[in-house]
């Protein structure tokens, strides 16, 4: 809402063109502007106060593991309330921490029993996930990194996107009708539950996660 307010105010205050809030469309000569007021709106809101208090909690788990993370988070949330005079830094991209397949052993998971554990597509159906069929795919491969799903992700990392995705969005299939023996990546964007893991964890962050049309995504009923 704060971002929407900042954009609305920016469009409304544009003195060089007829206000878009009245015309409903941008002028061809309109030059995009940075909505700097959003930063101040966020810093003046209760959202910023709450986020600032817990700014170190996630990184504490990454830095010191479960035990250290629990201790630090308990102190930060109940005693210091975010007033500690430091901020734990995270200088490494998650994508750079994705390990190569030859450094790990293949795991075999028990089949879902249909009582306490369920298969992926059953859980996906229960999430109520839906995107309009005619909307542009919001998950796209960055053009400059198009070679990664072809030659690197599956061959070097064993296709992590098809392993961690909770909605079967990514799958490598046989390249039928082609002389190329390599499997090709298929993106089922309509299944996406908007966890955004693929945008930060894949090699070189080759997935461009864009905002889908409003109303699309999971429709959780009991939260």
């Amino acid at each position: 809402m704060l971002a929407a307010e900042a954009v609305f105010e920016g469009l409304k205050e544009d003195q060089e063109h007829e206000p878009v809030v009245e015309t409903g469309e941008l002028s061809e000569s309109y030059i995009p502007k940075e909505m700097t007021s959003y930063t101040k709106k966020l810093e003046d809101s209760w959202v910023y106060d709450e986020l600032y208090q817990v700014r170190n909690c996630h990184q504490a788990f990454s830095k010191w593991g479960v035990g250290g993370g629990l201790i630090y988070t308990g102190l930060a949330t109940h005693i210091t309330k975010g007033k500690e005079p430091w901020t734990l830094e995270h200088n490494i991209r998650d994508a750079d921490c994705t390990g190569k397949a030859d450094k790990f052993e293949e795991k075999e998971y028990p089949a879902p029993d249909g009582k306490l554990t369920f298969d992926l597509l059953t859980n996906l159906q229960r999430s109520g996930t839906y995107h309009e069929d005619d909307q542009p795919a919001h998950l796209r491969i960055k053009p400059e990194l198009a070679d990664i799903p072809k030659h690197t992700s599956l061959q070097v990392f064993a296709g992590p996107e098809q392993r961690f995705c909770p909605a079967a969005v990514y799958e490598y299939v046989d390249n039928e009708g082609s002389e190329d023996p390599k499997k090709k990546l298929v993106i089922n964007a309509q299944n996406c539950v908007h966890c955004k893991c693929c945008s930060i964890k894949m090699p070189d962050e080759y997935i461009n996660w864009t905002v889908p049309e409003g109303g699309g995504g999971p429709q959780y009923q009991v939260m």
Side-chain angles (χ1 to χ4, degrees), residues 142-192:
K142 297 176 182 177
E144 67 275 17
L145 300 175
D147 63 312
I148 292 181
K150 294 180 180 179
H151 308 295
T152 304
S153 183
L154 184 63
Q155 293 83 351
V156 179
F157 296 90
E161 62 270 65
Q162 67 178 352
R163 296 173 181 269
F164 61 59
C165 180
V169 169
Y170 302 95
E171 58 179 333
Y172 283 92
V173 300
D174 292 329
N175 202 352
E176 298 180 0
S178 173
E179 297 179 357
D180 189 349
K182 296 185 180 68
K183 291 181 177 291
K184 67 177 181 179
L185 177 66
V186 173
I187 301 179
N188 304 302
Q190 69 275 12
N191 289 1
C192 183

Side-chain angles (χ1 to χ4, degrees), residues 29-206:
S29 60
Y30 178 79
I31 300 176
K33 300 178 181 178
E34 184 177 0
M35 297 294 105
T36 55
S37 62
Y38 169 70
T39 301
K40 188 176 187 309
K41 285 179 176 292
L42 180 62
E43 292 177 348
D44 292 341
S45 71
W46 60 267
V47 176
Y48 182 86
D49 294 336
E50 290 193 356
L51 292 178
Y52 187 79
Q53 288 185 19
V54 297
R55 68 189 183 282
N56 289 323
C57 294
H58 187 278
Q59 181 59 11
F61 283 93
S62 177
K63 192 176 184 67
W64 298 305
V66 176
L70 286 173
I71 294 173
Y72 186 94
T73 299
L75 292 173
T77 55
H78 295 287
I79 299 178
T80 64
K81 299 290 185 179
K83 294 181 180 179
E84 55 266 33
W86 60 78
T87 297
L88 300 178
E89 296 184 354
H90 183 77
N91 299 318
I92 303 175
R93 297 187 309 170
D94 285 335
D96 297 330
C97 297
T98 301
K100 296 181 179 180
D102 59 8
K103 296 182 179 179
F104 302 92
E105 294 183 3
E106 183 77 18
K107 289 185 178 180
E108 293 292 338
Y109 295 97
D113 59 16
K115 297 179 181 179
L116 296 177
T117 58
F118 303 89
D119 64 274
L120 187 148
L121 292 179
T122 296
N123 285 331
L124 175 63
Q125 182 181 28
R126 289 174 174 169
S127 73
T129 298
Y130 177 76
H131 296 88
E132 291 289 347
D133 296 333
D134 59 350
Q135 72 171 278
H138 68 283
L139 300 172
R140 306 167 189 173
I141 298 174
K142 297 176 182 177
E144 67 275 17
L145 300 175
D147 63 312
I148 292 181
K150 294 180 180 179
H151 308 295
T152 304
S153 183
L154 184 63
Q155 293 83 351
V156 179
F157 296 90
E161 62 270 65
Q162 67 178 352
R163 296 173 181 269
F164 61 59
C165 180
V169 169
Y170 302 95
E171 58 179 333
Y172 283 92
V173 300
D174 292 329
N175 202 352
E176 298 180 0
S178 173
E179 297 179 357
D180 189 349
K182 296 185 180 68
K183 291 181 177 291
K184 67 177 181 179
L185 177 66
V186 173
I187 301 179
N188 304 302
Q190 69 275 12
N191 289 1
C192 183
V193 295
H194 302 178
C195 73
K196 292 201 71 177
C197 185
C198 59
S199 70
I200 65 172
K201 195 62 179 169
M202 291 310 303
D204 286 330
E205 298 180 346
Y206 81 82

